[in-house]
Amino acid sequence: MTAEPAAAVRPRNRKQLIVEAGATVFSERGYHAASMEEIAAGVGITAAALYRHFPNKYALFAECANVMADRLVAALDDVPADAALADVFAAVTRVTVAHRAAGGVYRWEARYLNAEDRRVLRAKFSRVVGRVADAVRREHPSPGEHLRAVAALGAIGSITMHHNSIGRRRLEDLLRACALRVAATEAVAGGRLVELPARPVPRTRRSEIIEAAVPLFERDGFAAVTNGMIAEAVGLVPSALYRYFPGKADILAAACLQAAGLLAQAVEQNLRGTTGPHDALVALTATYVAYSFEHNALNSVANAEIVGLPAALRRPLVAAQREHIAVWEQHLRQAHPELDARQVRVLVHAGFGVVVEAGRRLRWEDSAEHRAAVAALVMSALDL
């Protein structure tokens, strides 16, 4: 007598599995490029079964963002109130590294959550920052503890923005030490002055379109901006836009390539005459910080949207990013010969993470004082 096949048992943690899969897909593909079907496939269920847990993609995205924040809050709640700063960073680092593949959700939360959900989520992050800032203040009682706290968290969180492979224990140790250096950074009175190439004056219709589109992308979000809105901004009818660009993704890619070219020119210009790897890294840092403040609108859009661009448009942008990172790695390897290539790459990205979070904290208000403060934090991240 043949036994009947056992009925499939639904796992009790299916909702949790969906959230984990969703956060990973959102991180890798971007909010709009991610599909419920792809997320369902990652869990081994149908899209119809997924919709029994979440009514739509937005609801799942909001849950993913909150779960990541809740993990950080819970990890810090388990740390004694008077714990050493190293223990505080160890807790944050442990959670961030463990859920590295899903951490990219943070890139889009501010753009795609509605006002109320954003308010709730930011309150959770404020709690995390406040807890870290308290520990920073105890061990390094000088002004600016909140800026140093968010910069240190930016260094740790940078691991979610790249795929560099490195052992988990080594990675946690490296990021924790990096965050501790950032938190201990002393205030500086001034920094290296660098020059950036002047923004190109839009002299063609194509360049006018790029110039008009970026502020719209930054203000309304890439997905919400239509070709009609861009066309109206430059005095064209929507159909005329297609004479210059196949679509808005091509406009964003062209804007990013233009900015990458400006950054490459600035790096080449400001590295001239530097003596030794430390001096070169000071120049690189000052250049990148100045570029980030000057082009913060485009950088904000690019950080959120490049991952969702079609592969053909994304490829040259990724190549430009890698070329820029390679310059940093070359000089940092010379400055720290005791580090291997993977460790160096982690530190370079940590420096970029510091710029992003410190710049946001300063609301990208451009001044010599702000540039010097952020540059000092980056140099600490690089252990220079």
Side-chain angles (χ1 to χ4, degrees):
M1 183 174 179
T2 304
E4 294 184 5
V9 178
R10 176 184 299 179
R12 294 182 179 181
N13 64 338
R14 174 169 284 179
K15 186 171 183 178
Q16 178 185 341
L17 294 173
I18 292 171
V19 171
E20 295 287 350
T24 299
V25 173
F26 287 133
S27 296
E28 293 177 350
R29 296 181 46 74
Y31 176 72
H32 287 284
S35 70
M36 296 290 266
E37 290 74 17
E38 183 177 6
I39 295 167
V43 187
I45 61 176
T46 64
L50 189 154
Y51 281 110
R52 285 199 289 270
H53 295 275
F54 295 96
N56 52 50
K57 185 165 73 169
Y58 175 85
L60 175 55
F61 176 75
E63 179 74 6
C64 292
N66 275 282
V67 164
M68 291 300 295
D70 290 339
R71 284 173 176 150
L72 290 173
V73 170
L76 288 175
D77 283 347
D78 287 340
V79 178
D82 58 350
L85 183 57
D87 293 331
V88 172
F89 282 141
V92 174
T93 302
R94 189 165 51 249
V95 171
T96 305
V97 171
H99 300 283
R100 176 183 181 182
V105 168
Y106 299 143
R107 276 177 283 187
W108 304 285
E109 55 89 4
R111 291 181 175 276
Y112 301 130
L113 292 181
N114 63 40
E116 177 58 22
D117 287 341
R118 196 180 312 143
R119 184 191 66 76
V120 170
L121 189 61
R122 285 182 173 173
K124 294 176 182 179
F125 281 122
S126 293
R127 183 173 168 184
V128 171
V129 171
R131 180 67 193 280
V132 174
D134 287 343
V136 171
R137 186 188 303 112
R138 283 198 306 273
E139 295 193 15
H140 306 288
S142 57
E145 67 274 7
H146 277 84
L147 179 63
R148 285 177 283 141
V150 297
L153 290 170
I156 295 171
S158 67
I159 195 63
T160 68
M161 305 295 282
H162 62 92
H163 297 94
N164 182 30
S165 177
I166 183 171
R168 180 167 172 173
R169 180 60 63 85
R170 292 176 70 209
L171 180 56
E172 289 182 9
D173 291 346
L174 189 63
L175 291 175
R176 184 175 62 253
C178 178
L180 285 168
R181 292 193 302 270
V182 172
T185 303
E186 297 289 338
V188 294
R192 176 174 295 205
L193 296 177
V194 296
E195 292 186 6
L196 299 180
R199 290 172 179 263
V201 178
R203 302 184 186 280
T204 65
R205 184 65 81 183
R206 182 181 171 88
S207 59
E208 287 177 356
I209 292 170
I210 293 173
E211 187 78 8
V214 170
L216 293 175
F217 292 152
E218 199 274 337
R219 186 193 70 191
D220 299 331
F222 179 76
V225 175
T226 64
N227 287 340
M229 293 166 64
I230 299 171
E232 182 180 2
V234 291
L236 292 173
V237 296
S239 59
L241 200 68
Y242 294 103
R243 292 204 294 267
Y244 304 96
F245 293 98
K248 65 179 181 179
D250 301 86
I251 300 173
L252 175 59
C256 290
L257 274 179
Q258 183 183 85
L262 292 175
L263 178 59
Q265 291 175 43
V267 166
E268 182 180 358
Q269 174 181 311
N270 291 310
L271 282 179
R272 260 186 231 121
T274 56
T275 56
H278 184 278
D279 193 33
L281 287 162
V282 171
L284 275 171
T285 297
T287 301
Y288 187 75
V289 170
Y291 167 85
S292 297
F293 272 96
E294 190 159 315
H295 296 275
N296 70 84
L298 177 58
N299 289 338
S300 174
V301 176
N303 286 336
E305 305 296 350
I306 281 181
V307 69
L309 289 177
L313 294 177
R314 190 173 64 250
R315 201 171 295 117
L317 302 179
V318 172
Q321 289 175 339
R322 287 176 176 167
E323 287 178 12
H324 178 69
I325 291 168
V327 177
W328 286 80
E329 291 175 351
Q330 173 190 347
H331 293 292
L332 193 57
R333 284 292 301 272
Q334 293 172 4
H336 286 296
E338 75 280 7
L339 299 179
D340 64 29
R342 293 177 180 180
Q343 291 170 309
V344 164
R345 189 163 299 145
V346 168
L347 288 185
V348 170
H349 282 283
F352 295 161
V354 165
V355 175
V356 171
E357 296 306 325
R360 286 176 179 169
R361 179 75 189 184
L362 296 169
R363 299 183 183 277
W364 295 112
E365 294 175 359
D366 198 1
S367 69
E369 179 184 4
H370 284 174
R371 290 188 182 193
V374 176
L377 293 165
V378 174
M379 295 296 285
S380 293
L382 299 177
D383 198 10
L384 297 169

